[in-house]
Amino acid sequence: MFGYRVPAPDEAMLISGGRRGLGGAPFRVVTGHGKFVMPVFRKVRFLTLSMCESEVTETCVTRQGIALHVRAVIAFKVGNDQESIINAGQRFLSDQEQMSVLTGRIFAGHLRAIIGSMTVEEIVTERQKLAAEVLDTSKTEMAKIGLIVDSLQIQSIDDGDTGYIDAMSAPHKAAIQRQAQIAQAQATQASVEAEQAAARKQAEYARQTAIVKAEYSAEVDRAQAQAAQAGPLAQAHAQQEVLAAQTELAQRQAKLRQQQLVAEIVKPAEAEAERVRILAAAEAQRMKIQAEAAASYDRVALDRMLIDQLPQIVKEAAGGLAGANVNVLNGADGLGEIAAGLVSQGLTILDSVRQNLSSQDSDGRRSGDRESNGSGLLQLPTNKGRKSDDGPVDVD
């Protein structure tokens, strides 16, 4: 549309003529939208708001008196606020290239001042600190001309031919070289160890492979040998089973024959022996009973015979005294004593005979000490009496 102007996104449109702008500025500022401008009566100019760059190469002297060649790059632009645009428009609208030149000069001065208060070591090791101080000191001046700095980068610091920086870095270089050598040695050692480990693994793999091959070959040989021996082994096993069956059959036959012999010979013989033993025991028991009965009968008969003959024994003993010269001192009492002694002597003889018979019942023999007369009576010894002056008659 005729007379309607629109600024670019990175531009500020400055309209001069007519009424003044904000704060008594000689122009109005339009950003971000269009504006109708009357031709002939209004004049339009555009101020860039895009990023600009300025490079600074300056020789600065440190606090130690060492000259350093410093190269820095500044990134800046016109501020987005109305005041910054007005300040920058009033200064650089006719020649906007001067913004980079002026910014470079401003930063060169601040850079020399700050480096002059620092040592080489601080500058080299604390570049960020140097940049921050330069930005802080230049911020006020840059705001006055409507510019803002986005960044300041110290790209290089060189001491020329003095060799100070090289000397300062020598220990670090040596340490780095030493560390590099150590790292290289360690890497070489690790490489050698890795190679040795790889060689050991290869040897181990080869050994295991050889073992597996040998085991496989041995297994194949065993299988072939077993296959070759399968026929003879089967035949031998069959023969062995036949022999085992025959042996078992023979053992069973022998056991059966043994049982038959036991049933036919041993058992009848044992039964006959048992029968004979029982009969012999019975016969011995019978004879024992008969012997005991006979012995008992003989004792009863002998006792009866002795009792029956006792008067005859006493009579014979008294008859033996008939021809004896006996003096009786005490009359009738003396004769009674003699008769009683004869009866007592007969009873004593009877007891002796009974005891002898009891001790000789086992062999059935009577003692040979007994003497018998022709009538079957015991023969008593004849006693000759002699006269005694003091008492009864003594029998010799």
Side-chain angles (χ1 to χ4, degrees), residues 178-227:
R178 182 171 62 253
Q179 292 177 358
Q181 292 175 356
I182 293 173
Q184 182 64 34
Q186 291 176 350
T188 303
Q189 182 179 359
S191 176
V192 173
E193 291 177 354
E195 291 177 357
Q196 292 176 353
R200 285 195 298 269
K201 289 181 179 179
Q202 290 178 356
E204 181 66 20
Y205 178 77
R207 186 181 68 84
Q208 292 180 354
T209 303
I211 292 174
V212 171
K213 288 182 178 179
E215 291 178 352
Y216 177 76
S217 179
E219 185 176 357
V220 171
D221 294 340
R222 284 196 300 271
Q224 292 177 353
Q226 290 177 358

Side-chain angles (χ1 to χ4, degrees), residues 52-109:
C52 298
E53 179 182 295
S54 176
E55 183 175 340
V56 177
T57 303
E58 192 70 23
T59 301
C60 306
V61 179
T62 65
R63 188 175 63 185
Q64 300 162 316
I66 298 174
L68 297 178
H69 302 286
V70 181
R71 182 173 177 271
V73 176
I74 304 101
F76 66 95
K77 66 183 290 295
V78 177
N80 294 327
D81 58 288
Q82 292 282 341
E83 184 179 359
S84 296
I85 293 174
I86 292 172
N87 292 333
Q90 290 177 343
R91 290 171 177 80
F92 306 109
L93 185 58
S94 60
D95 188 4
Q96 297 185 24
E97 297 294 333
Q98 290 295 319
M99 288 190 294
S100 297
V101 176
L102 182 59
T103 300
R105 291 175 180 175
I106 291 172
F107 274 88

